Amino acid sequence: MRSISIFGATGSIGESTFDLIRRSGGAEAYRTVALTGARNVRRLAEMARELRAEVAVTAHEAELPGLREALVGSGVEAAAGAAAIAEAADRPADWVMSGIVGAAGLVPGMRALRHGGMLALANKESLVTAGQLLLATAQAHGATILPVDSEHSAVFQALTGEDGGAVERVIITASGGPFREWPLERLAAATVAEAKAHPNWSMGNRISIDSASMFNKALELIETREFFGFDPAMIEVLVHPQSIVHALVGFRDGGIMAHLGPADMRHAIGFALHWPERGHLPVERLDLARLGSLTFEAPDDRRFPALRLAREVMALRGLSGAAFNAAKEIALDHFMAGEIGFLDMAAVVEDTLDAVSAETALTMPAASLEEVLAMDHLARIRAAEQARKRIEGR
Ligand code: NAD
Ligand code: MG
């Protein structure tokens, strides 16, 4: 029986993963090692009971009594805290979903790779902050990383059976989010509720707001560069409001392989779950005649400066991705708290990169996970200072 673990089980990616596991036999078909979550311990316990998990872990110590109570009589162990989540990743599983949001997903993913199984990687922040280390760890332990971000799963699928050397360009699409047509002046006053309302995808709040600001696409540009190793100049972003074409790979003969599918993450998750085979997945079948038309437009770096910043990070590499991601997370926290404006997020990130690069070399490749975490820590402090300046200046 195949063993699995789901990190971030209670989130949007985690629920979709749970749904697919349950549809393909649940506890009868898979041996569940670990499930992790954060505040929603009732849901975590419910999932752990159903899949008969070995252990359920909440990120928060304060939630442990609640988790224990919800698991009474189930035989599922309960644990809490970041260290317990990392320890859960030390328990071997054949297939692990990395579905925690933010840099918190990095350590568990790294630890899971040491068993040499498969890591289904939804947590793009791992590749942005520590891409080279992550790939080196996978290689050293014979582990396989399967991209779960829809665009990256699409690129992966379009590359199957192809010669990587014949690739000329890689195009990842972006819906353009809720503010695709908003003028710059209006963007400054965009609210959290407006930013959360993604037109096509149902996702966690943080990634939904990142989609509105295009910080999500910025992370994905870096993710493409790190995971597939293509030169940054070969990687393009294309706005495609219908979110049907997820990515395109262009070859030197002028041909392009595109990947199409409905905006349902269960496709990319299911592809990773059944890889290298193709399983039967419960996603809607496309009716292109009914859709009628698919449209495309160039992204606007002026209204969405995150894309320009991503290009800088792709050129710098080294520790700049860790600084970029940490600054973005802090800026997002302040925006979600209503303390800074929508456009202030990019300004905070840019100012943080400047501040950090003035005190340390961002281009230095990370030699260890500790270096990445130290950069993450430093950038969070600098970003909080930059955010404070913006709050005081308002
Ligand atoms: P979400 O907010 O819905 O869920 C996040 C999960 O992480 C939850 O289980 C939560 O309990 C857990 N979590 C939050 N903070 C934590 C912490 N500090 N320590 C440990 N666990 C913590 O997020 P999501 O939308 O499911 O996204 C998860 C990841 O997948 C992100 O990296 C996101 O960029 C990526 N992703 C998501 C989608 C999508 O459609 N939702 C698509 C592509 C990529
Ligand atoms: Mg994506």
Side-chain angles (χ1 to χ4, degrees):
M1 205 190 260
R2 211 165 166 214
S3 57
I4 61 140
S5 286
I6 309 175
F7 289 82
T10 53
S12 164
I13 289 288
E15 284 283 1
S16 293
T17 308
F18 178 77
D19 178 69
L20 291 176
I21 297 281
R22 156 195 259 180
R23 284 166 189 268
S24 50
E28 306 304 321
Y30 295 91
R31 185 172 67 78
T32 300
V33 179
L35 297 181
T36 81
R39 304 245 178 247
N40 195 352
V41 291
R42 282 182 57 162
R43 179 64 186 139
L44 179 62
E46 200 172 72
M47 294 168 127
R49 277 177 186 275
E50 182 172 331
L51 293 183
R52 295 183 224 130
E54 268 176 33
V55 62
V57 193
T58 161
H60 307 289
E61 306 273 358
E63 306 289 349
L64 187 56
L67 180 62
R68 282 218 171 99
E69 196 189 326
L71 286 171
V72 165
S74 67
V76 180
E77 283 172 53
I85 289 183
E87 279 159 25
D90 289 340
R91 301 186 185 211
D94 301 322
W95 188 90
V96 175
M97 167 51 74
S98 170
I100 289 176
V101 64
L106 175 60
V107 170
M110 278 283 202
R111 303 262 285 250
L113 285 174
R114 301 196 300 208
H115 308 304
M118 280 182 221
L119 184 70
L121 192 68
N123 181 268
K124 61 193 82 184
E125 295 88 345
S126 298
L127 280 166
V128 172
T129 56
Q132 286 166 288
L133 272 179
L134 202 76
L135 296 195
T137 305
Q139 200 178 16
H141 298 275
T144 305
I145 300 177
L146 295 164
V148 169
D149 217 343
S150 55
E151 298 77 3
H152 304 75
S153 175
V155 172
F156 186 89
Q157 294 181 53
L159 283 171
T160 301
E162 301 286 354
D163 166 13
V167 174
E168 212 171 53
R169 58 206 284 230
V170 174
I171 305 166
I172 58 171
T173 61
S175 69
F179 304 150
R180 182 170 59 88
E181 294 177 307
W182 284 34
L184 192 58
E185 310 75 65
R186 196 174 162 205
L187 281 178
T191 67
V192 173
E194 287 167 331
K196 264 198 250 183
H198 198 280
N200 306 331
W201 295 93
S202 153
M203 309 182 285
N205 284 339
R206 297 182 72 87
I207 182 176
S208 296
I209 298 172
D210 282 349
S211 295
S213 63
M214 290 261 192
F215 264 110
N216 181 50
K217 212 48 57 180
L219 295 175
E220 291 182 358
L221 274 171
I222 304 166
E223 185 186 7
T224 308
R225 197 261 175 277
E226 294 299 326
F227 186 76
F228 297 102
F230 294 120
D231 189 84
M234 294 165 70
I235 310 170
E236 304 166 34
V237 172
L238 180 65
V239 175
H240 167 45
Q242 297 83 17
S243 299
I244 297 292
V245 180
H246 304 304
L248 309 96
V249 177
F251 297 90
R252 63 175 167 230
D253 60 2
I256 291 180
M257 297 298 287
H259 178 275
L260 284 72
D264 183 338
M265 284 308 293
R266 292 178 305 175
H267 170 74
I269 297 168
F271 177 82
L273 182 63
H274 297 291
W275 185 86
E277 283 157 26
R278 281 199 186 260
H280 187 88
L281 297 176
V283 300
E284 186 198 330
R285 274 33 180 179
L286 284 184
D287 181 344
L288 290 170
R290 192 172 55 79
L291 277 166
S293 65
L294 300 177
T295 59
F296 302 94
E297 51 196 76
D300 181 354
D301 282 18
R302 203 180 52 93
R303 285 183 303 134
F304 300 100
L307 297 175
R308 173 176 55 78
L309 295 174
R311 295 271 169 208
E312 290 176 19
V313 170
M314 288 161 92
L316 290 169
R317 282 195 101 185
L319 288 164
S320 66
F324 177 75
N325 179 68
K328 192 278 299 174
E329 289 191 26
I330 295 295
L332 179 58
D333 289 342
H334 287 286
F335 173 68
M336 289 176 86
E339 294 167 349
I340 62 172
F342 184 75
L343 293 174
D344 288 331
M345 287 192 283
V348 165
V349 173
E350 185 160 19
D351 291 347
T352 302
L353 287 175
D354 287 345
V356 174
S357 68
E359 53 189 305
T360 169
L362 280 177
T363 50
M364 209 171 56
S368 66
L369 188 54
E370 287 65 37
E371 277 184 24
V372 174
L373 298 176
M375 175 54 77
D376 177 271
H377 184 72
L378 173 68
R380 280 171 203 271
I381 294 171
R382 296 293 170 261
E385 289 164 4
Q386 295 303 331
R388 184 78 22 226
K389 278 190 202 165
R390 303 249 152 208
I391 296 165
E392 280 157 13
R394 274 182 120 190

